[in-house]
């Protein structure tokens, strides 16, 4: 059920760039972080794509994400080394030339001082029309061109920049309830069908867990209106078989990342 | 550097299906597991896409992965509930009709007995031409149609089925070495350029870690020939500045998943 197509709901896509993730040398921490921040912001993440450090794959994926989503976040490929090609790829995806950004160049000079290498300055070569997103705690601002935020793969810096960008993106948060039951998905299916039919504006999911002694299925209910989530919860609880309910959880919702 | 295009190297793509992952209700454990298994098998994973439970997104993504990669693994959307649409989507992506698979139907009857619901039988409705991959410990076999393995999202079952499929896919493993250094990426860049130029068949990566007191950059070297990985390692170590090296790690390589 992709009911996140609400016209009030902004959408986002993430493009995670890096051979190291696909080959298992480094475990991606950035998509999970972004997922949590966007959930709390009420921005609907509609796709995550992990691609190698390869020109065609990056250009094509960024270009499609740019057309489909309100916001695009890329992670990785913006350092000074030979395989860092994200900025020229984003330029190609947006049909823009690469220019040396004077503000960024100055900041890199300030940051590295004597240690500045020619390779560092590649980080100041950005698509024409790039704007900088400044914020607390950032040594180097986040880079945005049109709807594409180009972020580094290094997890600590990625998180800092996402937090700064999140403050830009005001949106309506989701209200969710999680229901843990001792009922398998087969027996739940007709009950959930019924809830889905009565509450078409509520996102209903069910996730069996076979290796948990505690519960058999986790049912999730989510909408942008607290009253609708609660009404769907009540409808679900009424229909559950005697003794099936274990507990109901409120994962919380807030306007800004923790 | 996408040097995994070696003609001997089979490729794979993963399609992770589920609103629950994109909305942060459930953290995906299946892509990381698959990444580890494929790395040890020497299969090059070239893309991971996380899509919602939405017809167009699933059909389009599976169809593209099917054309691009040797093997495609889907995760999620094969249970008995209303949002489980992966099997019909895979059928559409492959241009095949859906049929009720007699073997699967029989196994579901055996498995559920009296508790079998009509909803369970949806799991036996598969693309025409589907073959079953049997293996130790599987209550229900893995489902394969052409080069697409259709796997459930429940992590414990996903892992069991991937392990069984991995035994099918003999391949040449990668030999990797990880080098941890006290040198930043800027100063490393010319050294790595040099190693890349001399060893075009070795995959070279560098990953800065700013929040570690232990090292500044992790350099990875990887190829399908142990001797080439070791020669590239030697070339790198020779060029490192005095005192930069912290340690060298061998992540191991094996023909089969642990």
């Amino acid at each position: 059920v992709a009911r996140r197509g609400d016209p009030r709901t902004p959408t986002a896509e993430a493009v995670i760039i890096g051979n190291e993730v696909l080959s298992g040398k480094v475990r991606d921490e950035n998509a999970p972080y972004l997922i949590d921040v966007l959930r709390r912001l009420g921005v609907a993440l509609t796709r995550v794509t992990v691609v190698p450090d390869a020109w065609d794959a990056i250009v094509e994926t960024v270009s499609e994400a740019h057309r489909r989503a309100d916001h695009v976040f890329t992670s990785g490929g913006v350092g000074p080394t030979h395989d860092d090609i994200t900025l020229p790829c984003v330029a190609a995806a947006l049909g823009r030339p690469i220019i040396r950004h004077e503000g960024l160049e100055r900041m890199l000079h300030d940051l590295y001082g004597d240690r500045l290498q020619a390779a560092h300055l590649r980080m100041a070569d950005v698509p024409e029309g790039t704007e900088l997103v400044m914020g607390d705690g950032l040594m180097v601002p986040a880079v945005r061109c049109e709807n594409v935020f180009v972020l580094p793969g290094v997890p600590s810096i990625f998180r800092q920049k996402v937090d700064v960008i999140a403050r830009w993106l005001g949106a309506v948060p989701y209200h969710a309830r999680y229901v843990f039951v001792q009922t398998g998905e087969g027996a739940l299916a007709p009950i959930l069908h019924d809830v889905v039919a009565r509450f078409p504006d509520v996102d209903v999911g069910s996730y069996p867990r076979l290796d948990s002694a505690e519960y058999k299925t986790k049912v999730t209910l989510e909408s942008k209106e607290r009253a609708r989530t609660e009404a769907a919860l009540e409808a679900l609880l009424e229909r559950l078989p005697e003794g099936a309910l274990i507990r109901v959880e409120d994962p919380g919702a807030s306007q800004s990342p923790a």
Side-chain angles (χ1 to χ4, degrees), chain A:
Chain A
V1 249
R3 227 178 298 295
R4 292 186 156 224
D6 188 322
R8 293 172 310 165
T9 304
T11 59
E13 292 198 21
V15 183
I16 309 296
I17 295 151
N19 293 345
E20 71 277 21
V21 173
L22 291 168
S23 62
K25 293 192 202 74
V26 171
R27 178 137 168 189
D28 174 52
E29 303 170 21
N30 293 343
Y33 187 80
L34 187 64
I35 284 170
D36 283 348
V37 169
L38 294 177
R39 188 186 76 76
R40 285 192 294 254
L41 274 177
V43 172
L45 183 65
T46 51
R47 190 176 299 228
V48 176
T49 311
V50 188
V51 294
D53 302 298
W55 184 272
D56 290 350
I58 301 172
V59 173
E60 172 208 306
T61 308
V62 169
S63 160
E64 288 173 1
H66 161 67
R67 279 188 283 101
R68 276 186 302 236
D70 294 319
H71 309 292
V72 178
F73 296 84
T74 73
S75 159
V78 294
T81 66
H82 61 95
D83 55 356
D84 291 315
I85 58 173
T86 300
L87 284 165
C89 287
V90 169
L94 300 177
R96 289 168 175 264
I98 281 282
I99 54 137
R100 171 71 47 105
H101 192 289
E102 290 181 14
L104 271 173
E105 183 174 11
R106 208 161 44 237
M107 289 179 213
L108 289 168
H109 272 289
D110 291 347
L111 184 65
Y112 287 98
D114 292 349
R115 292 173 301 120
L116 190 77
Q117 312 263 342
H120 287 127
L121 285 174
R122 290 189 53 210
M123 296 189 273
D125 293 337
V126 298
E128 192 172 49
T130 287
E131 297 188 40
L132 305 182
V133 186
M134 313 286 193
D136 284 354
L138 290 191
M139 290 192 300
V140 177
V143 160
R144 178 177 69 84
C145 192
E146 300 191 30
N147 65 341
V148 182
F149 296 97
V150 183
L151 305 176
V154 179
S156 56
I157 310 183
F158 181 89
R159 292 193 295 265
Q160 279 182 342
K161 294 196 172 181
V162 165
D163 289 350
V164 165
I165 292 162
R167 277 171 230 138
W168 271 40
L169 304 172
V172 184
Y174 287 106
H175 297 281
R177 292 287 228 156
Y178 300 166
V179 183
F180 296 85
V181 296
Q182 269 304 1
T183 312
E185 270 204 306
L188 268 182
I191 301 174
L192 295 183
H193 267 288
D194 196 29
V195 174
V196 168
R198 282 188 52 200
F199 298 88
D201 55 328
V202 177
D203 218 12
V204 179
S206 71
Y207 311 103
R209 186 90 214 188
L210 302 193
D211 50 0
S212 164
E214 200 218 338
Y215 67 92
K216 278 206 182 129
T217 310
K218 172 179 175 180
V219 178
T220 64
L221 305 164
E222 190 181 58
S223 78
K224 291 214 157 188
E225 294 183 51
R226 185 182 295 279
R228 294 294 289 168
T229 303
E230 294 301 319
L233 173 66
E234 201 174 314
L236 169 65
L237 295 181
E238 272 170 16
R239 279 164 185 72
L240 282 182
E242 187 82 16
L245 179 69
I246 296 168
R247 67 192 155 87
V248 177
E249 232 177 52
D250 182 347
S254 92
Q255 198 72 32
S256 63

